[in-house]
Amino acid sequence: MTLKTLPFVKWAGGKGQLFDRLKLRMPDSYKRYYEPFLGGGAMLLGLQPEQAVVSDTNEQLLNVYMQLKTDAEAVIAAVSELDGTVCDTEFYLAQREKYNDKIRNRILDTECAALMIWINKHCFNGLYRVNSKGLFNVPYNNRVRGTSIDAENLRNIGTYLRNADIDIRCGDFEKACCDIRAGDFVYFDSPYVPVSDTANFTDYTKTGFLEEDHVRLASLADSLARKGVLVMLTNNNVPLVHELYQGFEIEETSVRRAINRDASKREGSEVIITSYKTGF
Ligand SMILES: C[S@@+](CC[C@H](N)C(=O)[O-])C[C@H]1O[C@@H](n2cnc3c(N)ncnc32)[C@H](O)[C@@H]1O
């Protein structure tokens, strides 16, 4: 029986909204599932493949998946303890400092996982942003929201990760694909190419994902497709993306964006790119 599982954090670029459209465009069958830009895991948790390799560069985020896999009850207990105190700015900043201590000392344990989940619920807009030293610096959202978790969901994620064959790796997307083989399926949901008139790659360096990384990703996607790997990607519908994926199928699709004062900017255009025909 498949247990219902949903992302445990709000994550920039989360694929909740596109999940159904992407699922319909996936190959009917494949061997292993690869997701090298895992983020909040909307795809992994929605699909629940039996065999997967998942990866990201954010080691604190991956630690949450690892801790849930090992002992979800311990994570639930640690978040519940944090939820036991009514939050105010002082308490939030103290937890943020504890979390940054974990980052400074590279302590990847249950408490670090619990802090990450709790902070995601209490920080401004569920943003994940670090400074040049890699320390988390998002302010408090000034709202007390009651419990930070759906305990049943965390339990189900732990059960899924334990029962299926899920290899959780940390690092760059190229490294994550080092052992991918013909017949495997890979979904690349990289940080997007910026779209607004003012955004450019200089502003975008905050995500650490530059134009040269997009070129590197397109080149990897091309070589994997040539070797018989089934490849799917998503990105903004911008000229650079069309240039980079000329040999691929590119389907434009509209998405709702976060509320913008300018009504014309509430609808965005993205692309679903595949190395195979989807029938759409
Ligand atoms: C658009 S988000 C993925 C969102 C995800 N699909 C979801 O549903 O939440 C992009 C992710 O790529 C990760 N990332 C950034 N640079 C990376 C790199 N060079 N290699 C692997 N992951 C990277 C970020 O940490 C972030 O979690």
Side-chain angles (χ1 to χ4, degrees), residues 7 9-16 22 33 35-44 55-59 61 65 128 170-176 187-192 204 207-210 213 216 234:
V9 279
K10 182 173 169 189
W11 207 249
K15 283 294 158 294
L22 294 174
Y33 174 79
E35 190 172 352
F37 299 95
L38 180 62
M43 296 304 291
L44 176 79
S55 177
D56 201 285
T57 43
N58 186 322
E59 60 183 356
L61 175 68
Y65 290 94
Y128 197 89
C170 183
D172 182 69
F173 63 89
E174 278 195 82
K175 197 174 123 203
Y187 171 52
F188 291 114
D189 186 27
S190 68
Y192 280 10
Y204 209 56
T207 70
F209 212 80
L210 306 175
D213 294 308
R216 199 158 60 85
T234 35

Side-chain angles (χ1 to χ4, degrees), residues 2 30 33 37 43 48 54 58 69 115 123 149 156 162 168 173 175 184 193 209 221 230 236 246 248 260 263 272:
T2 307
Y30 48 87
Y33 174 79
F37 299 95
M43 296 304 291
Q48 295 191 15
V54 294
N58 186 322
K69 182 174 181 172
L115 284 166
C123 71
I149 43 163
N156 288 349
R162 260 192 320 279
I168 304 169
F173 63 89
K175 197 174 123 203
D184 290 338
V193 173
F209 212 80
L230 299 150
N236 273 324
Q246 280 177 26
F248 285 67
N260 192 305
I272 301 173

Side-chain angles (χ1 to χ4, degrees), residues 19 22 87 263 274:
F19 177 78
L22 294 174
C87 190
T274 51

Side-chain angles (χ1 to χ4, degrees), residues 83-101:
D83 278 341
T85 303
V86 176
C87 190
D88 58 13
T89 305
E90 197 188 336
F91 186 71
Y92 172 80
L93 292 177
Q95 305 321 305
R96 193 178 78 175
E97 191 44 34
K98 264 193 213 164
Y99 180 66
N100 280 330
D101 267 343

Side-chain angles (χ1 to χ4, degrees), residues 138-179:
V138 179
Y140 177 41
N141 66 12
N142 277 313
R143 266 178 293 163
V144 182
R145 288 222 206 131
T147 172
S148 302
I149 43 163
D150 172 349
E152 198 54 28
N153 184 46
L154 295 192
R155 256 177 224 122
N156 288 349
I157 294 173
T159 305
Y160 163 64
L161 294 174
R162 260 192 320 279
N163 292 350
D165 175 6
I166 312 297
D167 184 353
I168 304 169
R169 301 175 179 173
C170 183
D172 182 69
F173 63 89
E174 278 195 82
K175 197 174 123 203
C177 293
C178 63
D179 53 1

